[in-house]
């Protein structure tokens, strides 16, 4: 039973390390693309976009790894995922705002 729990924990840590890095990189990439595509962003929206990109880029691989291990050991939801989801939600709101206004066109995959 103990081995199964240890294996599950290791698997979760590997999964979080992989996916959280991908999410971070995707948020930073999409924020940069929106910044380039929408040169007419208002001052507050541009500041928010820069904050999103900067915050995502500041989450290091080491922070992701340490948080994955600590959160798994404490049997709690991923703190990194919560941060990334909040950033992603803010980015989606900004993207949607400018897409609806016809300033940008988003191609979704």
């Amino acid at each position: 039973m103990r081995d199964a729990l240890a294996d599950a924990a290791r698997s979760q840590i590997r999964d979080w390390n992989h996916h959280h890095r991908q999410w971070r990189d995707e948020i930073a990439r999409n924020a940069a693309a929106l910044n380039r595509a929408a040169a007419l962003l208002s001052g507050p929206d541009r500041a928010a976009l820069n904050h999103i990109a900067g915050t995502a880029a500041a989450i290091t691989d080491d922070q992701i790894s340490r948080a994955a291990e600590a959160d798994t050991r404490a049997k709690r939801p991923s703190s990194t995922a919560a941060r990334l989801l909040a950033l992603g939600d803010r980015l989606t709101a900004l993207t949607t705002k400018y897409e609806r206004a016809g300033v940008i066109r988003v191609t979704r995959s």
Side-chain angles (χ1 to χ4, degrees), residues 5 24 49 51 54:
L5 290 175
R24 175 207 52 209
L49 189 57
H51 172 75

Side-chain angles (χ1 to χ4, degrees), residues 2-17 68-69 71-75:
R2 229 180 211 153
D3 288 339
L5 290 175
D7 286 345
R10 280 191 296 276
S11 177
Q12 180 172 310
I13 290 168
R14 274 192 310 274
D15 184 58
W16 282 356
N17 279 327
E69 290 178 29
D71 292 340
T72 299
R73 270 190 253 109
K75 295 183 170 124

Side-chain angles (χ1 to χ4, degrees), residues 7-99:
D7 286 345
R10 280 191 296 276
S11 177
Q12 180 172 310
I13 290 168
R14 274 192 310 274
D15 184 58
W16 282 356
N17 279 327
H18 174 74
H19 290 291
H20 293 169
R21 287 178 177 123
Q22 282 184 326
W23 295 344
R24 175 207 52 209
D25 294 346
E26 184 177 332
I27 289 168
R29 214 175 21 256
N30 288 342
L34 178 58
N35 212 351
R36 285 188 306 275
L40 302 176
L41 284 173
S42 69
D45 287 345
R46 183 163 304 281
L49 189 57
N50 288 333
H51 172 75
I52 292 166
T55 302
I59 299 172
T60 65
D61 288 351
D62 185 54
Q63 288 173 329
I64 290 170
S65 296
R66 283 186 282 124
E69 290 178 29
D71 292 340
T72 299
R73 270 190 253 109
K75 295 183 170 124
R76 63 181 176 235
S78 169
S79 57
T80 304
R83 289 172 61 197
L84 291 169
L85 286 170
L87 291 171
D89 287 347
R90 291 178 64 199
L91 179 58
T92 298
L94 280 172
T95 302
T96 301
K97 175 182 177 180
Y98 284 93
E99 185 179 24

